[in-house]
Amino acid sequence: MEAVQFPFPYLQSKIQTSKTQYRNSMSALPQTATTTTTTIITTTPILTSLSSRNNSLRKLSRSNQPENALTMFVKLRMEGLDVDRFSFPPLLKAAARVKGLFEGMQLHGLGAKLGFDLDPFLQTGLVGMYAACGRIGDARLMFDKMSHRDVVTWSIMFDGYCQSGHFDDVLKLFEEMRRSNVEPDKMVFSKILSACARSGNISYGKVIHEFIVDNNVVMDAHLQTALITMYASSGYLDMAKDLFDNMWPKDMVVSTAMICSYSRAGRIEDARMIFDQMVEKDLVSWSAMISGYAESDRPQEALKLFNEMQVLKMKPDQVSMLSVISACAHLGALDKAQWIHLYVDKYGFGGELRVNNAIIDMYAKCGSLERAREVFDKMQRRNVISWTSMINSFAVHGDASNALAFFCKMKEEDIEPNGVTFVGVLYACSHAGLVEEGRKIFSSMINEHNITPKHEHYGCMVDLFGRANLLREALEVIETMPLAPNVVIWGSLMAACWVHCEIELGEFAAKQLLKLEPDHDGALVVLSNIYAKERRWQDVGELRNSMKRRGIAKERGSSRIEMKNEVHEFLIADRNHKQADQIYEKLDEVVSELKRVGYAPNTHCVLVDVEEDEKQEVVLWHSEKLALCYGLMSGPNDSCIRIVKNLRVCEDCHTFIKLVSKVYWREIIVRDRTRFHRYKDGVCSCKDYW
């Protein structure tokens, strides 16, 4: 048979280069060496049998270097050796695995030229190759041209749609399959259930489940995993659990899926129970549990689990490191943040862009804007997330000037800001009272950057006007925005009205919020406080009794402080700490010292019908004051005290901490629910605008 000219450009180039290098190396060797080497090369056995050549192509296509199958094919064609229809499936498989679209198309052309274009094995290989290379339309065209399609061909087409994210097409294709004479197998059902899970079409998934049961399809581990994962990821945890409990042995993949689903649903204890019951755990399982703790406001457990992972000599991957960094950021413990940063560099994650972006956020949330800036400055490569992380860091620390400067510099370096970037810049303006700058930036987002505002952008504008006591303008934003206001937007207006004593509008905002979320504890508490401020004690009593009947409790204030690599947590009027007596003695001493410089407890925030002395006790026993006193008595006199508070710092605590920073000559950094306060020499970085 006449040899067909068929060079793959990049493979042909590699072969020619290797030949040139070989000839050059031969000329540099002594004659004896040249003779010996030449003998080895020329006596290498040539695969003369077509079946043996095809067998070699199959082995190479399944190996860790499938491109070698293509290289071998080029060499065979250059030697003029024949191929048949069985040569093409492994070659197309190799092209699919290396995403070699050009090579796959050349194989398609050659197959047609040799008369194999109607061969079902070649056609099936082409469907898989085009799908793997992202040409799902071409894959479907080839699929539709096939006169004979077996279950393998259907499965490959299903897989192509799944990989391309065309999940609705998977379901349509299954309807076509049901009309054909081909019976789906367990792998096909698994792919369809996966598509149902990823497209959120749980109703269709239930139909498939019923079909499987009604037709007595034997469930293997793959099919059980697909069903459990579909129900779990769609929030049908009871159905997932029933299937999971009846599965034996428990598959590691499905156990991990259950951990993720329980974590997302806030059932972290159930997730941990499954994790502890797992006989074998891989890195994905550990990462899922660490991530579950990190995202469930349990950062200390996440870090503890990471330490257990280290004891077992398990090296984390980037995903698990990102969860650990997130947990540390949430915890706000700087010493732990520094240790994690050292770990990241030691084990080779320091060059990863996503990791560096996360470390910027971690340092900022742990109160060290300086270290966040150092990481940013050392980065060899930055993207929009890097710049946005830095802008957000400045914003939450009240450094609006640097946030705006970085925003300008970002645009100068042709980094296009995204919607999250604008949230950070608007937040900075809001917390610094920069109303006009905020207006201009909001306008530029729409008119210059063609970004359609979302709820969070309108929320920032409501917050901007609300903090500046421009409450009517804040209400106008809500009334004119094209989106229905959500809980956060009404909450921003409600909080601003409370701060600026706009009782009527505040009550209106609280009631609007409660229409959207009737059990919102924050809105119910503010509404109760509004009634209390107007001394409407009957309304206060009715509202609080209603909350008690419905099991709604105000979120308790808590504060964390890290001392000697250990995190200590305090609640209001907390007596559980092992040094509680000494802490309260220190508090009495501090209050006495502050009263000498004019401090008087501000009881306006205590809106309960009790005597003034009792109100003062309530104010003085706030959790951040207890954490602060523990810091004063435990740390070095020249050290910075860092506190993390879960709620907004009240007016009295804000004044109290400012005075402590002056009287005791200490720098104090407090992270509350929305921002950082850096107290030094009696002044706060928020400039009393928070």
Side-chain angles (χ1 to χ4, degrees), residues 293-406:
Y293 276 132
E295 294 169 8
S296 300
D297 198 16
R298 304 274 288 272
Q300 295 193 69
E301 284 92 336
L303 295 176
K304 182 181 178 183
L305 200 61
F306 180 67
N307 290 335
E308 290 179 26
M309 190 173 154
Q310 302 311 296
V311 172
L312 295 173
K313 307 295 183 186
M314 290 191 70
K315 185 179 178 182
D317 61 4
Q318 186 180 134
V319 174
S320 51
M321 278 314 309
L322 288 169
S323 294
V324 170
I325 292 168
S326 172
C328 188
H330 190 82
L331 187 63
L334 184 60
D335 288 347
K336 284 185 169 55
Q338 290 173 297
W339 178 84
I340 288 169
H341 192 185
L342 288 172
Y343 185 96
V344 162
D345 288 341
K346 181 179 178 181
Y347 289 97
F349 296 103
E352 299 289 342
L353 182 60
R354 289 181 67 195
V355 172
N356 280 322
N357 290 341
I359 289 175
I360 290 172
D361 180 67
M362 175 184 72
Y363 272 134
K365 287 179 177 174
C366 290
S368 182
L369 196 54
E370 299 79 7
R371 288 182 176 85
R373 178 69 184 269
E374 284 174 14
V375 174
F376 179 86
D377 289 340
K378 289 178 182 177
M379 289 173 69
Q380 298 295 313
R381 185 165 63 95
R382 306 183 188 111
N383 61 6
V384 64
I385 299 173
S386 315
W387 286 91
T388 300
S389 296
M390 205 62 236
I391 289 168
N392 286 339
S393 299
F394 286 125
V396 297
H397 280 265
D399 191 349
S401 59
N402 263 320
L404 294 172
F406 263 59

Side-chain angles (χ1 to χ4, degrees), residues 214-225:
D214 293 343
N215 289 272
N216 297 315
V217 177
V218 178
M219 290 219 207
D220 62 2
H222 287 293
L223 194 49
Q224 285 178 309
T225 298

Side-chain angles (χ1 to χ4, degrees), residues 94-165:
R97 288 184 64 195
V98 300
K99 304 291 189 289
L101 176 63
F102 185 74
E103 287 71 31
M105 292 173 72
Q106 285 194 314
L107 286 166
H108 189 175
L110 179 62
K113 187 170 185 177
L114 296 177
F116 303 143
D117 51 321
L118 296 180
D119 181 78
F121 295 104
L122 174 65
Q123 290 175 322
T124 299
L126 286 168
V127 172
M129 182 276 295
Y130 281 123
C133 294
R135 298 286 285 268
I136 195 67
D138 291 330
R140 183 59 198 253
L141 283 173
M142 178 54 62
F143 179 83
D144 289 338
K145 286 179 182 177
M146 295 178 68
S147 57
H148 173 73
R149 296 178 294 211
D150 62 10
V151 69
V152 174
T153 310
W154 285 91
S155 183
I156 289 172
M157 196 64 233
F158 280 122
D159 201 40
Y161 276 137
C162 285
Q163 289 179 2
S164 303

Side-chain angles (χ1 to χ4, degrees), residues 498-510:
W498 173 248
V499 169
H500 296 294
C501 301
E502 185 65 47
I503 302 301
E504 185 178 348
L505 184 56
E507 183 178 4
F508 170 76

Side-chain angles (χ1 to χ4, degrees), residues 313-575:
K313 307 295 183 186
M314 290 191 70
K315 185 179 178 182
D317 61 4
Q318 186 180 134
V319 174
S320 51
M321 278 314 309
L322 288 169
S323 294
V324 170
I325 292 168
S326 172
C328 188
H330 190 82
L331 187 63
L334 184 60
D335 288 347
K336 284 185 169 55
Q338 290 173 297
W339 178 84
I340 288 169
H341 192 185
L342 288 172
Y343 185 96
V344 162
D345 288 341
K346 181 179 178 181
Y347 289 97
F349 296 103
E352 299 289 342
L353 182 60
R354 289 181 67 195
V355 172
N356 280 322
N357 290 341
I359 289 175
I360 290 172
D361 180 67
M362 175 184 72
Y363 272 134
K365 287 179 177 174
C366 290
S368 182
L369 196 54
E370 299 79 7
R371 288 182 176 85
R373 178 69 184 269
E374 284 174 14
V375 174
F376 179 86
D377 289 340
K378 289 178 182 177
M379 289 173 69
Q380 298 295 313
R381 185 165 63 95
R382 306 183 188 111
N383 61 6
V384 64
I385 299 173
S386 315
W387 286 91
T388 300
S389 296
M390 205 62 236
I391 289 168
N392 286 339
S393 299
F394 286 125
V396 297
H397 280 265
D399 191 349
S401 59
N402 263 320
L404 294 172
F406 263 59
F407 180 62
C408 293
K409 190 175 179 182
M410 173 186 185
K411 292 190 290 183
E412 288 170 5
E413 296 196 12
D414 293 326
I415 304 293
E416 182 65 23
N418 59 23
V420 181
T421 313
F422 278 99
V423 171
V425 180
L426 290 170
Y427 186 95
C429 293
S430 171
H431 283 258
L434 304 176
V435 175
E436 291 308 313
E437 287 84 347
R439 288 185 206 267
K440 291 175 185 175
I441 288 165
F442 184 78
S443 176
S444 74
M445 178 181 77
I446 301 167
N447 300 322
E448 296 175 26
H449 297 277
N450 297 316
I451 295 175
T452 302
K454 296 182 179 179
H455 276 105
E456 49 265 39
H457 302 109
Y458 287 111
C460 284
M461 293 306 292
V462 171
D463 194 52
L464 174 74
F465 292 131
R467 288 177 185 276
N469 201 14
L470 300 171
L471 298 173
R472 296 301 158 186
E473 291 189 52
L475 182 59
E476 187 179 343
V477 170
I478 295 174
E479 291 173 339
T480 58
M481 60 187 280
L483 306 171
N486 61 13
V487 167
V488 175
I489 288 173
W490 284 118
S492 293
L493 180 62
M494 176 186 73
C497 291
W498 173 248
V499 169
H500 296 294
C501 301
E502 185 65 47
I503 302 301
E504 185 178 348
L505 184 56
E507 183 178 4
F508 170 76
K511 288 181 176 179
Q512 294 302 310
L513 192 160
L514 290 168
K515 285 181 183 178
L516 298 175
E517 194 174 318
D519 293 341
H520 193 287
D521 63 314
L524 289 166
V525 168
V526 168
L527 192 57
S528 171
N529 289 344
I530 286 171
Y531 293 152
K533 208 162 194 175
E534 294 189 309
R535 308 190 72 78
R536 292 162 57 181
W537 299 116
Q538 184 174 347
D539 290 333
V540 171
E542 289 176 1
L543 188 56
R544 291 184 178 174
N545 287 334
S546 172
M547 289 174 67
K548 185 179 288 187
R549 285 195 306 272
R550 290 150 63 191
I552 303 169
K554 176 185 176 182
E555 183 178 1
R556 293 190 69 185
S558 68
S559 297
R560 293 192 299 263
I561 183 170
E562 185 182 23
M563 281 289 164
K564 299 174 183 176
N565 208 30
E566 185 179 353
V567 177
H568 302 261
E569 187 166 6
F570 297 88
L571 301 174
I572 186 170
D574 200 339
R575 292 271 179 184

Side-chain angles (χ1 to χ4, degrees), residues 237-257:
L237 288 174
D238 291 338
M239 297 184 77
K241 187 177 184 302
D242 287 342
L243 289 165
F244 181 75
D245 289 343
N246 292 321
M247 182 182 188
W248 190 262
K250 302 287 194 251
D251 181 77
M252 194 187 311
V253 174
V254 76
S255 295
T256 303

